[in-house]
Amino acid sequence: MSAALQAKDLLIRAVSCDQSGRILEAQTLYQNGIAMLMTFVTDEPDEVKRKGFLTRIKEYMDRADAIKARVNGKLSLGEVVTHISIEEDDVGYDYEQIFGKYMDSKTVEIMLEEPYLAQNYQFQNLIRFLELAVTNCPNFKYIRLITKEDTKNLDQQKTNIGQIKADLERRKIAFFIKYEETLHDRKIYLSNGYIIKIGRGLHFYKASNPMYSIGLNNYRYRKCLQTDVDIWRTSGHAN
């Protein structure tokens, strides 16, 4: 497929996602489609065709800007609906118990800001979270993961993420990753209107000790590190 046709395909999908309310996925598709089309237009020798392409690009850029405003609006915090203080060595807190009830059939898209994905246990925590999403959210279609690059072992990090991406795509769930080296916040945005903020992100569990003991697989029996959890309902969303 030529670059122009690839760009057209991405932008058609962007419009479709936009119209169906999948704004996170639409935002990604608009950005990628516009970037690809700009590269194609730069090499177009015909002035008339180039002007036509630029006009279309301006239309898509306007759509992308509108999407960005909608995304930013949905990410604005509304009111806290739940606050949980987890103390050092507490047990009884797996993802399902903390925020599982907020992940439901209305959760079509998820954005996860998790700065640290380098160690095996951190990827295991990510998989546990995704398993909960797949279980609780039957209409789950898209996830955007924002994290930092593991500069010490970048190849392994990208291999692990590639495996996760391939598995999700086999399940018809689109996966997009963005690396931000200045990322510090830890936040989970659900498209049904809830935002989950955990002080330590997904990584607030201590290692099973000894390894082969209760809590190895069922994290409600794992001891925790001290952290706080706030769950917000964003402005404009009802119960």
Side-chain angles (χ1 to χ4, degrees), residues 75 111-117 144-149 157 177-188 199 201 203:
L75 292 178
M111 182 164 68
L112 172 62
E113 296 180 0
E114 179 52 69
Y116 302 108
L117 281 176
R144 179 187 300 169
L145 170 64
I146 304 174
T147 191
K148 293 182 178 181
E149 287 189 341
Q157 182 189 43
I177 183 162
K178 181 179 181 182
Y179 294 102
E180 287 189 4
E181 296 314 303
T182 59
L183 181 66
H184 296 289
D185 289 344
R186 298 162 173 88
K187 183 167 56 184
I188 303 166
H203 313 314

Side-chain angles (χ1 to χ4, degrees), residues 2 52 56 67 75 88 99 106 117 157 171 173 176 199:
S2 69
R56 294 299 303 276
I67 284 282
L75 292 178
E88 191 80 8
F99 48 76
K106 295 181 181 178
L117 281 176
Q157 182 189 43
R171 301 173 189 276
I173 299 169
F176 175 76

Side-chain angles (χ1 to χ4, degrees), residues 51-191:
K51 286 183 177 180
F53 280 125
L54 290 172
T55 298
R56 294 299 303 276
I57 289 172
K58 177 62 168 59
E59 293 173 0
Y60 286 122
M61 291 180 70
D62 289 343
R63 285 177 178 263
D65 287 342
I67 284 282
K68 182 177 180 180
R70 288 172 63 192
V71 170
N72 289 341
K74 288 180 178 292
L75 292 178
S76 61
L77 299 177
E79 60 175 327
V80 176
V81 296
T82 301
H83 172 80
I84 301 170
S85 292
I86 300 176
E87 301 300 329
E88 191 80 8
D89 292 329
D90 272 357
V91 295
Y93 294 101
D94 63 6
Y95 299 150
E96 172 65 42
Q97 290 171 296
I98 296 174
F99 48 76
K101 69 179 181 179
Y102 301 104
M103 304 176 74
D104 56 23
S105 61
K106 295 181 181 178
T107 306
V108 179
E109 300 183 301
I110 296 173
M111 182 164 68
L112 172 62
E113 296 180 0
E114 179 52 69
Y116 302 108
L117 281 176
Q119 304 298 319
N120 285 337
Y121 78 90
Q122 293 170 338
F123 281 101
Q124 290 167 0
N125 289 339
L126 174 59
I127 290 297
R128 291 182 67 81
F129 172 75
L130 291 172
E131 287 174 343
L132 179 61
V134 170
T135 300
N136 287 19
C137 311
N139 299 312
F140 180 31
K141 298 296 182 186
Y142 174 87
I143 180 166
R144 179 187 300 169
L145 170 64
I146 304 174
T147 191
K148 293 182 178 181
E149 287 189 341
D150 177 14
T151 55
K152 294 181 179 179
N153 199 353
L154 183 58
D155 288 344
Q156 185 61 56
Q157 182 189 43
K158 292 193 173 182
T159 295
N160 294 348
I161 288 173
Q163 291 177 0
I164 295 169
K165 176 181 174 67
D167 184 64
L168 288 174
E169 289 179 346
R170 283 194 292 270
R171 301 173 189 276
K172 309 300 182 185
I173 299 169
F175 178 97
F176 175 76
I177 183 162
K178 181 179 181 182
Y179 294 102
E180 287 189 4
E181 296 314 303
T182 59
L183 181 66
H184 296 289
D185 289 344
R186 298 162 173 88
K187 183 167 56 184
I188 303 166
Y189 161 77
L190 307 176
S191 63

Side-chain angles (χ1 to χ4, degrees), residues 31-44:
Q31 291 171 346
N32 292 345
I34 289 169
M36 188 174 290
L37 198 56
M38 285 293 291
T39 301
F40 173 77
V41 169
T42 301
D43 297 328
E44 174 55 58

Side-chain angles (χ1 to χ4, degrees), residues 216-233:
L216 175 62
N217 293 313
N218 190 332
Y219 277 32
R220 73 179 60 189
Y221 299 110
R222 282 280 186 105
K223 289 183 178 181
C224 297
L225 298 164
Q226 188 280 325
T227 195
D228 289 302
V229 182
D230 287 303
I231 299 175
W232 300 70
R233 182 171 57 241

